Amino acid sequence: MTRLFGVDDGFSEDAILGRLEGMKDVIEQVNKQFKDPDLTTFVCVCIPEFLSLYETERLVQELTKFEIDTHNILINQVLFDEDAVESKLLKARMRMQQKYLDQFYMLYDDFHITKLPLLPEEVCGVEALKSFSCHFISPYQPSIHEGTVEELERRVSTLREQLKGAEAELERLRKGKHKA
């Protein structure tokens, strides 16, 4: 009774070599398919930040080395509408993102780059994914532009919500003061 790799002789050397040959054929088929841009392309998904830009570049270099097509980048969680934003923190984040967006466009000028918006909630479920996926093909366009009635109504609505929150906080503080 011979033992190879600690397995009973039901797995002879010939059987193992046969399996490896079969796996080699499958690996060659997969490799051929991966290298055929009509059958396979790789889409890089990243965010507009330094580490993501760096890792995307490493990925593109590796895929290129293995002759795997990659000419598409989805940049997720992009903040839009800088003029409509009043928060200094968000404006600073937009400037930072813009720096990395510019670098993506400079490094990958021959790629198809699609920017996707930062959303207030996760994209979960089939319907949400279907709705969100329309931005993969046609670019996301912010719906509100500064100076429009729509933008002013949104700002008034935001201010009303902030006022309600401030009034509730004031009322809570007044009640707490009377108890003391």
Side-chain angles (χ1 to χ4, degrees):
M1 179 192 242
T2 61
R3 294 183 64 103
L4 179 65
F5 303 115
V7 180
D8 291 334
D9 63 353
F11 292 98
S12 68
E13 286 182 42
D14 289 339
I16 291 173
L17 287 174
R19 285 188 174 172
L20 288 174
E21 284 296 321
M23 286 175 50
K24 180 182 174 197
D25 291 340
V26 170
I27 290 169
E28 286 174 355
Q29 278 182 303
V30 169
N31 191 31
K32 184 178 177 185
Q33 181 174 339
F34 274 16
K35 290 181 178 183
D36 184 346
D38 292 331
L39 297 175
T40 306
T41 189
F42 197 97
V43 178
C44 302
V45 179
C46 56
I47 57 176
E49 294 183 3
F50 171 78
L51 190 56
S52 189
L53 174 67
Y54 176 78
E55 291 298 324
T56 300
E57 177 60 16
R58 284 184 46 200
L59 176 62
V60 168
Q61 294 297 326
E62 286 296 309
L63 291 171
T64 301
K65 183 168 50 174
F66 290 106
E67 301 173 26
I68 298 174
D69 180 66
T70 179
H71 285 89
N72 297 286
I73 298 178
L74 294 177
I75 305 176
N76 203 5
Q77 299 180 2
V78 176
L79 295 167
F80 288 87
D81 267 342
E82 183 170 353
D83 295 334
V85 172
E86 296 176 17
S87 165
K88 289 180 182 180
L89 186 61
L90 282 177
K91 284 187 178 194
R93 179 58 116 187
M94 287 176 187
R95 284 189 299 274
M96 184 270 307
Q97 282 190 350
Q98 190 58 54
K99 177 175 81 170
Y100 294 113
L101 288 169
D102 292 344
Q103 290 179 21
F104 272 106
Y105 281 101
M106 186 179 70
L107 284 169
Y108 306 105
D109 61 341
D110 58 336
F111 278 51
H112 180 254
I113 297 176
T114 303
K115 295 185 299 185
L116 302 170
L118 175 66
L119 299 175
E121 69 281 330
E122 272 188 282
V123 179
C124 293
V126 174
E127 290 308 312
L129 187 56
K130 282 180 183 178
S131 174
F132 185 66
S133 68
C134 70
H135 301 305
F136 296 171
I137 297 169
S138 58
Y140 170 77
Q141 294 295 322
S143 60
I144 300 173
H145 300 286
E146 186 175 1
T148 64
V149 171
E150 186 179 32
E151 189 265 340
L152 290 173
E153 286 174 345
R154 184 194 58 78
R155 287 180 60 198
V156 166
S157 175
T158 300
L159 290 171
R160 283 187 179 135
E161 289 300 315
Q162 290 173 345
L163 180 59
K164 282 182 190 175
E167 287 174 337
E169 179 69 13
L170 180 60
E171 187 62 29
R172 188 185 64 77
L173 290 172
R174 284 184 179 157
K175 286 181 180 180
K177 193 175 189 179
H178 290 304
K179 290 180 181 178

